[in-house]
Amino acid sequence: MPVAGVGKAPPILDFSAFYNGDAAAKKKLVDDAIMNRNKKFLDLSLEQKMEINKDTSNTWNRGYELLKSQILEEGTLPELKEGFYIGDEIPKTHPYFVNKKLNLGPNMVVSLANDILKVLAQTLELPSSYFDDFTTGAVATMRPLHYPSQPPDSPQKLTRGIGAHTDFGTMTILLQDTVAGLNYRYISNTHWVINQSGEERYLIPVLLSGNPDYVVECLPNCRAEGEEAKYAPITVEQAVLGDYADSYGRAEKIKKDAAAKGGREGGLVALGHVKDKLKKRNIHR
């Protein structure tokens, strides 16, 4: 299926415009064609998008994510969002691919995230280089998303574009359109999407996870001397893959339960069965 931009490097954005006072340059940065490409792809027919479905066309979490594939907030319905996983192209000889590491490899925007982390380290009274080991060989994923508008009378406690959650990785750099929907609580960074605007909502998050083998543990100055850490150490890969398994597993369970009862999901449930069969044959992850 010919898709504009596939096989080519993503456009390079001059982020320096963000730091100067040129309003026209800032608008050009925000209005970049990448959002239009996002809409163009996600507006294709389901049949076309399924040709590059991430669950059936490869084993490394790249490609189209079907509507209602995930439940981040337990107790809600499968989420009203579809998307596309993008990462840096690496050869199958790369150690990340050979060892089936988390999302395989670094992304072009990691350098910006590194600079942000240097600043954050200093706000925590740590050396600016504190996170260098964490970001060396870091994994990042770009994930263009589409939230179709949900009916105004849909139950907000059950129907979400995306359920309440905190992001799996360390940092999210977000490009979004002008359609409202994102809700968040600043202190805990819990956020969710309910799109009752009557318009389609598009956005492109870049999710920085970090080096898959890096052991995440409580910062040295975030607990009193002699006090035990609240959370046990865990690698980046263990933490992120655990969240993936939980959120996608919830959606799959609901689809299977619906199918067992005669199902109200129609073609979507049938498609879920096809995905399961193909997974067993093709996916080694």
Side-chain angles (χ1 to χ4, degrees), residues 5-285:
V6 170
K8 298 179 181 179
I12 297 174
L13 303 181
D14 182 1
F15 200 76
S16 63
F18 180 81
Y19 300 108
N20 65 40
D22 188 338
K26 287 185 179 180
K27 187 174 189 306
K28 184 178 179 181
L29 174 66
V30 172
D31 293 341
D32 185 80
I34 191 169
M35 185 62 79
N36 293 328
R37 296 288 180 91
N38 178 25
K39 294 178 182 179
K40 187 174 182 179
F41 171 77
L42 291 171
D43 285 344
L44 292 173
S45 70
L46 177 60
E47 183 181 13
Q48 288 174 297
K49 289 182 287 193
M50 287 301 293
E51 290 182 26
I52 47 176
N53 178 10
K54 74 180 184 67
D55 292 329
T56 58
S57 63
N58 62 68
T59 62
W60 51 90
N61 202 42
R62 294 286 184 268
Y64 175 63
E65 175 191 357
L66 187 69
L67 195 73
K68 299 184 179 181
S69 291
Q70 194 173 24
I71 299 177
L72 284 162
E73 184 178 358
E74 203 165 357
T76 61
L77 296 173
E79 292 161 352
L80 298 178
K81 76 172 188 309
E82 59 177 343
F84 192 90
Y85 277 91
I86 300 170
D88 189 31
E89 294 288 335
I90 65 172
K92 293 184 178 180
T93 55
H94 192 288
Y96 278 179
F97 186 91
V98 172
N99 297 306
K100 304 181 184 67
K101 288 295 181 184
L102 170 67
N103 290 339
L104 294 182
N107 187 276
M108 293 297 289
V109 299
V110 170
S111 59
L112 172 61
N114 289 353
D115 290 342
I116 295 173
L117 281 174
K118 287 182 185 299
V119 174
L120 290 178
Q122 293 176 73
T123 68
L124 295 168
E125 299 181 352
L126 296 168
S128 63
S129 60
Y130 186 83
F131 294 110
D132 285 359
D133 288 343
F134 172 80
T135 56
T136 299
V139 170
T141 303
M142 188 165 76
R143 190 182 179 194
L145 293 174
H146 168 221
Y147 295 92
S149 181
Q150 60 195 72
D153 59 351
S154 59
Q156 290 193 8
K157 289 186 177 180
L158 292 176
T159 308
R160 304 287 177 93
I162 189 169
H165 68 287
T166 55
D167 288 343
F168 299 168
T170 305
M171 181 187 306
T172 300
I173 302 170
L174 183 65
L175 172 65
Q176 59 182 343
D177 63 12
T178 57
V179 178
L182 180 65
N183 297 256
Y184 61 91
R185 304 177 190 118
Y186 180 74
I187 294 176
S188 64
N189 202 26
T190 298
H191 55 284
W192 60 96
V193 171
I194 299 173
N195 181 17
Q196 294 183 332
S197 66
E199 300 179 60
E200 307 295 301
R201 183 173 188 266
Y202 297 86
L203 67 155
I204 304 174
V206 176
L207 309 156
L208 176 72
S209 297
N211 184 308
D213 298 319
Y214 186 88
V215 178
V216 180
E217 51 191 334
C218 184
L219 293 175
N221 56 354
C222 286
R223 64 177 189 268
E225 187 176 348
E227 181 184 8
E228 289 189 10
K230 185 176 181 180
Y231 302 102
I234 188 172
T235 68
V236 168
E237 184 170 45
Q238 289 170 334
V240 175
L241 289 184
D243 286 334
Y244 273 132
D246 288 345
S247 58
Y248 284 101
R250 292 183 196 116
E252 284 299 316
K253 184 178 185 303
I254 283 185
K255 292 176 187 177
K256 289 178 181 177
D257 289 348
K261 293 176 182 176
R264 297 182 180 179
E265 299 284 325
L268 192 57
V269 170
L271 187 58
H273 287 311
V274 172
K275 285 169 58 182
D276 288 342
K277 290 178 182 177
L278 288 170
K279 267 186 190 177
K280 290 175 184 176
R281 266 188 276 159
N282 299 331
I283 292 188
H284 59 261
R285 197 164 173 161

